[in-house]
């Protein structure tokens, strides 16, 4: 059972278009992070959201944490080919041992 | 520059041999390190949490005798895949946490293991 459901898993769009990636769960997380991973490399942290309803912006990327801290979204405005990559959401479980669980990932391709 | 160094980046071995992967925090002390496994085009699956000076905590379904984890110092954790078989072929990634902040969680560049 996947604790974090990420959608879509694959997305291919044209340069200049907007897109949104979703990360959903029935569990509550103390925080949620978004990572980007290049082939053959480890993930690199983009942002951490902690408070329900929190919105953070990183240039053309907007991250939102759901009010109930069960879901999050990543919105990219005017996508560019350089945005191509694997985007992963990861939630920190509240109960028990502290650990990070990852969504399935969204493989994003921006075509010139 | 990289703050977590993972070595080797790629290893090819024969079935039945053991392979050791190292994960080092370069400029901070990591009391906790994590080991993940990633299959092609899939997400990271947590294998175990490595605690300095104590036994690792393994996730359900991960064989602790198969994947030996040693965290002997505050800057080094090792994962040994014992008696490797082709089904163990995968991309293994470690991460290390700098202090108590989850925003200071850094990942290694991964190790691609291919078992022939």
């Amino acid at each position: 059972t996947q604790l974090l459901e990420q959608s879509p898993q694959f997305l291919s769009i044209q340069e200049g278009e907007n897109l949104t990636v979703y990360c959903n769960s029935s569990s509550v997380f103390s925080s949620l992070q978004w990572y980007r991973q290049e082939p053959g490399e480890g993930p690199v942290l983009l942002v951490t959201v902690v408070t329900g309803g929190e919105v953070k912006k990183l240039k053309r990327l907007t991250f939102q944490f759901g009010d109930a801290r069960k879901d999050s979204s990543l919105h990219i405005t005017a996508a560019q080919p350089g945005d191509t990559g694997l985007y992963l959401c990861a939630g920190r479980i509240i109960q028990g041992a502290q650990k990070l669980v990852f969504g399935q990932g969204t493989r994003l391709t921006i075509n010139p | 520059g990289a703050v977590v160094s993972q070595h080797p980046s790629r290893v090819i071995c024969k079935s039945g041999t053991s392979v050791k992967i190292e994960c080092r925090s370069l400029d901070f002390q990591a009391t906790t390190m994590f080991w993940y496994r990633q299959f092609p085009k899939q997400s990271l699956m947590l294998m175990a949490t490595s605690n300095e000076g104590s036994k690792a905590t393994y996730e359900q379904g991960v064989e602790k005798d198969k994947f030996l984890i040693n965290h002997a110092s505050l800057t080094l954790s090792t994962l040994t895949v014992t008696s490797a078989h082709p089904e163990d072929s995968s991309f293994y990634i470690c991460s290390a946490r700098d202090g108590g902040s989850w925003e200071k969680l850094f990942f290694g560049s991964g190790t691609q293991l291919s078992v022939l």
Side-chain angles (χ1 to χ4, degrees):
Chain A
T1 303
Q2 188 72 35
L3 194 60
L4 272 171
E5 294 287 342
Q6 201 169 329
S7 62
Q9 293 188 34
F10 299 92
L11 183 60
S12 179
I13 62 173
Q14 293 301 120
E15 181 177 2
E17 294 183 357
N18 302 330
L19 67 106
T20 302
V21 177
Y22 299 93
C23 184
N24 296 299
S25 178
S26 58
S27 300
V28 178
F29 296 98
S30 57
S31 65
L32 196 137
Q33 297 178 318
W34 285 91
Y35 290 82
R36 178 176 166 177
Q37 185 182 19
E38 301 295 336
E41 297 289 333
V44 175
L45 179 65
L46 296 175
V47 77
T48 301
V49 285
V50 179
T51 307
E54 182 177 4
V55 176
K56 282 191 174 180
K57 291 191 174 183
L58 186 65
K59 296 183 180 179
R60 294 177 293 100
L61 278 60
T62 302
F63 305 86
Q64 185 164 8
F65 201 12
D67 292 340
R69 291 186 292 148
K70 293 182 178 181
D71 54 85
S72 180
S73 64
L74 157 61
H75 182 79
I76 301 180
T77 304
Q80 299 178 2
D83 296 327
T84 294
L86 178 66
Y87 291 82
L88 298 158
C89 66
R92 183 157 64 96
I93 296 175
I94 288 180
Q95 297 172 339
Q98 293 283 296
K99 58 184 178 181
L100 210 60
V101 291
F102 282 81
Q104 307 102 310
T106 295
R107 190 161 297 278
L108 176 64
T109 303
I110 309 300
N111 303 299
Chain B
V3 294
V4 173
S5 173
Q6 189 172 339
H7 180 80
S9 58
R10 181 178 294 274
V11 58
I12 301 173
C13 69
K14 293 182 178 180
S15 185
T17 61
S18 294
V19 175
K20 180 184 284 188
I21 303 170
E22 293 187 349
C23 182
R24 294 181 182 272
S25 57
L26 297 183
D27 54 4
F28 65 95
Q29 293 182 333
T31 54
T32 305
M33 292 186 177
F34 304 89
W35 288 95
Y36 292 86
R37 184 173 180 176
Q38 187 176 32
F39 290 103
K41 299 184 179 180
Q42 294 189 26
S43 188
L44 281 72
M45 298 299 296
L46 179 65
M47 298 175 65
T49 300
S50 173
N51 303 297
E52 187 270 335
S54 64
K55 292 182 178 180
T57 303
Y58 289 81
E59 294 300 300
Q60 190 174 9
V62 178
E63 299 176 59
K64 60 181 179 181
D65 295 329
K66 174 75 171 177
F67 300 99
L68 299 178
I69 291 173
N70 185 283
H71 194 154
S73 77
L74 287 170
T75 60
L76 174 65
S77 176
T78 60
L79 167 67
T80 300
V81 183
T82 63
S83 187
H85 288 91
E87 57 266 29
D88 299 323
S89 298
S90 189
F91 193 57
Y92 293 87
I93 305 177
C94 72
S95 66
R97 199 169 76 186
D98 184 358
S101 172
W102 284 87
E103 293 200 44
K104 294 184 177 180
L105 180 69
F106 303 100
F107 285 80
S109 55
T111 297
Q112 182 63 53
L113 171 63
S114 299
V115 184
L116 305 178

